[in-house]
Amino acid sequence: MMKRFSKEESSWIFYDWANSAYSIIISTAVFPLFYKAAATNAGVSAADSTAYLGYTVAIATFILAMLSPILGTIADYQGYKKKFFTFFFALGVIFTAILAFVPSDQWLLLLIFYTVAAIGSAGSNVFYDAFLTDVTTEERMNKVSSRGFGFGYIGSTIPFIISIAIIVLSQNNVLPLSTTVASKIAFIITAIWWGVFSIPLIKNVHQRYFIEREQKLVVNSFKRLGKTLKEIRQYRALFLFLLAYFFYIDGVGTIITMSTAYGTDLGITATNLLIILFVTQVVAGPFAILYGRLAERFTGKKMLYVGICIYIIVCIYAYFLETTLDFWILAMLVASSQGGIQALSRAYFAKLIPKKNSNEFFGFYNIFGKFASILGPLLVGVTAQVTGDSSSGVFSLVILFIVGLIILAFVPEPKAGEMNKPTIV
């Protein structure tokens, strides 16, 4: 399957395979359950602990949103993209491993270290996304980006299966471990998996498009950033797409990060949640690849419409959710579109930007996505506390998808070199 991709494309794709273990085990499955148990044992109510997790995600994304455009602008200089990627990647791996050594009754300390690990993961993804312009052509971006998400979902099932097996066997007294220790082992597995499978990208992917280094690098970076901020509204397609992306990716990210806590509040057992999330990963992989293939036939924009409409259905269905079967149906709907909508958004944006400024513009892409990720969890958290019902918070996200869909309708199809003619320096 990978023979149809170059060494650079394959190495880039494998980082999704590596980093997605963090996404499923830490962001979505094991850590939220581990944290919820710690908070409950400390006397924190279910609604409050869900809200605190939402606030933590908001804080982490706000910090990164502030840093991304600045660091991205600096990283466009020759030799800096890989350095910034490596720093955030190492930060994420190290603090993911550190989670295993935090006492299980220290729920606040867990959230603090989780914040640092989340900044590392999301920060590395900013520069990883920007490398898409270095490893492939505009014609292949939909395919390569979708294949990355597809392999990410498929690859993440392996450490997830191992982690689930250890946790379930410990719960059934087959292994002489407590559930707490089993969960901490899952954190170590995640860090190792993430670190090992990132080696191909670090070794084989290089910054092909860049700006030559100059004196007063930081000062000039801020000047370039300021100039871009002033001019960005002149690029109608780019500006409208970022605005649409801000709204619809808000809902996508919130549903992904809050799904486990939401399921817990509905009374779904930890074992059932882990199984559902595993199947979701298995289903999401082929669907992400399918979105890439369908985009080549029907265009990426039309497939984005499909993904957003499915998420609107998800939000409405979530409001009436009552049983474990309902949660299964909801999870499969999410699985059908979450990878595809993210992959095609990344490729759509990459086609609009000048390649030598890819970090700077992916910094803006990230800031729009991350600021959206602040709004969503806050909305869910506040609504859950005010109403005492997590379902109302999820339902409120439907307006974000509708607004995003409407704005996307006004975004023209990306054309090669629309921003300006990219130059290989």
Side-chain angles (χ1 to χ4, degrees):
M1 186 182 297
M2 296 295 286
K3 289 182 179 179
R4 289 177 289 173
F5 297 88
S6 67
K7 179 189 289 186
E8 290 78 11
E9 289 173 338
S10 298
S11 298
W12 183 87
I13 287 169
F14 258 100
Y15 185 71
D16 248 320
W17 173 285
N19 178 252
S20 290
Y22 172 91
S23 299
I24 181 63
I25 296 174
I26 306 300
S27 294
T28 308
V30 179
F31 176 79
L33 292 173
F34 184 79
Y35 155 73
K36 290 284 285 185
T40 299
N41 291 337
V44 182
S45 70
D48 282 343
S49 62
T50 298
Y52 295 149
L53 181 60
Y55 299 151
T56 299
V57 173
I59 290 170
T61 52
F62 178 80
I63 292 172
L64 190 65
M66 291 292 94
L67 292 175
S68 293
I70 298 170
L71 296 179
T73 306
I74 297 173
D76 280 327
Y77 287 108
Q78 183 179 8
Y80 278 89
K81 185 185 289 190
K82 181 73 70 69
K83 291 178 181 178
F84 280 111
F85 166 81
T86 304
F87 170 79
F88 281 99
F89 150 73
L91 189 71
V93 171
I94 291 170
F95 275 86
T96 296
I98 288 176
L99 287 173
F101 301 96
V102 178
S104 58
D105 59 342
Q106 299 294 318
W107 64 270
L108 182 57
L109 192 59
L110 281 171
L111 288 182
I112 292 172
F113 286 135
Y114 170 71
T115 299
V116 180
I119 290 172
S121 174
S124 66
N125 279 336
V126 173
F127 304 101
Y128 165 66
D129 288 343
F131 269 123
L132 178 61
T133 61
D134 295 291
V135 300
T136 193
T137 63
E138 292 185 10
E139 293 75 19
R140 291 175 57 82
M141 282 181 182
N142 282 333
K143 178 182 289 186
V144 174
S145 183
S146 298
R147 190 58 57 96
F149 270 97
F151 266 64
Y153 285 120
I154 295 169
S156 65
T157 60
I158 299 172
F160 191 39
I161 289 173
I162 297 171
S163 298
I164 289 178
I166 293 173
I167 292 171
V168 172
L169 290 175
S170 67
Q171 289 175 337
N172 291 280
N173 299 317
V174 177
L175 290 176
L177 301 171
S178 67
T179 303
T180 297
V181 173
S183 297
K184 290 184 175 184
I185 291 174
F187 301 156
I188 296 295
I189 290 172
T190 302
I192 294 173
W193 182 274
W194 185 2
V196 170
F197 286 104
S198 298
I199 293 174
L201 186 149
I202 294 172
K203 181 180 178 181
N204 299 321
V205 173
H206 305 286
Q207 186 176 1
R208 294 181 59 229
Y209 300 93
F210 51 79
I211 296 172
E212 293 288 355
R213 296 188 190 184
E214 55 189 347
Q215 293 183 343
K216 298 181 180 180
L217 183 146
V218 175
V219 173
N220 287 324
S221 293
F222 274 98
K223 289 181 179 179
R224 287 197 296 113
L225 182 60
K227 182 179 178 181
T228 302
L229 281 169
K230 291 179 181 178
E231 296 178 351
I232 194 168
R233 286 182 296 179
Q234 297 177 14
Y235 306 113
R236 182 175 179 273
L238 177 65
F239 181 72
L240 285 176
F241 175 75
L242 284 175
L243 195 59
Y245 178 76
F246 173 86
F247 286 101
Y248 71 72
I249 209 64
D250 180 4
V252 174
T254 303
I255 289 173
I256 291 173
T257 56
M258 301 296 290
S259 59
T260 305
Y262 174 56
T264 301
D265 290 349
L266 293 170
I268 298 173
T269 66
T271 300
N272 279 333
L273 278 174
L274 291 174
I275 294 172
I276 291 170
L277 289 169
F278 165 69
V279 177
T280 299
Q281 295 296 106
V282 174
V283 173
F287 268 100
I289 296 172
L290 178 62
Y291 261 74
R293 292 180 177 176
L294 291 175
E296 293 182 340
R297 181 175 179 181
F298 299 107
T299 76
K301 184 178 179 180
K302 289 180 180 177
M303 292 310 301
L304 285 174
Y305 287 154
V306 172
I308 293 171
C309 287
I310 289 176
Y311 266 98
I312 291 174
I313 295 172
V314 165
C315 292
I316 296 172
Y317 189 79
Y319 184 74
F320 300 99
L321 190 144
E322 295 180 351
T323 67
T324 301
L325 177 60
D326 289 331
F327 198 83
W328 268 103
I329 295 172
L330 194 73
M332 294 306 100
L333 285 172
V334 171
S336 72
S337 298
Q338 69 177 13
I341 199 171
Q342 292 177 89
L344 294 183
S345 295
R346 179 169 62 187
Y348 201 107
F349 184 76
K351 293 178 182 180
L352 290 173
I353 62 176
K355 293 181 179 180
K356 68 178 182 179
N357 299 96
S358 61
N359 287 288
E360 179 180 358
F361 281 93
F362 266 105
F364 285 107
Y365 178 80
N366 183 267
I367 197 172
F368 271 74
K370 293 307 177 186
F371 267 124
S373 297
I374 295 170
L375 176 62
L378 282 176
L379 182 61
V380 172
V382 171
T383 306
Q385 286 190 303
V386 171
T387 65
D389 179 20
S390 300
S391 298
S392 298
V394 178
F395 179 73
S396 68
L397 297 174
V398 71
I399 187 65
L400 301 175
F401 287 110
I402 293 175
V403 172
L405 184 68
I406 293 172
I407 297 174
L408 184 63
F410 293 93
V411 180
E413 289 287 349
K415 298 178 182 178
E418 184 165 333
M419 289 285 292
N420 58 45
K421 296 294 182 180
T423 303
I424 299 179
V425 182

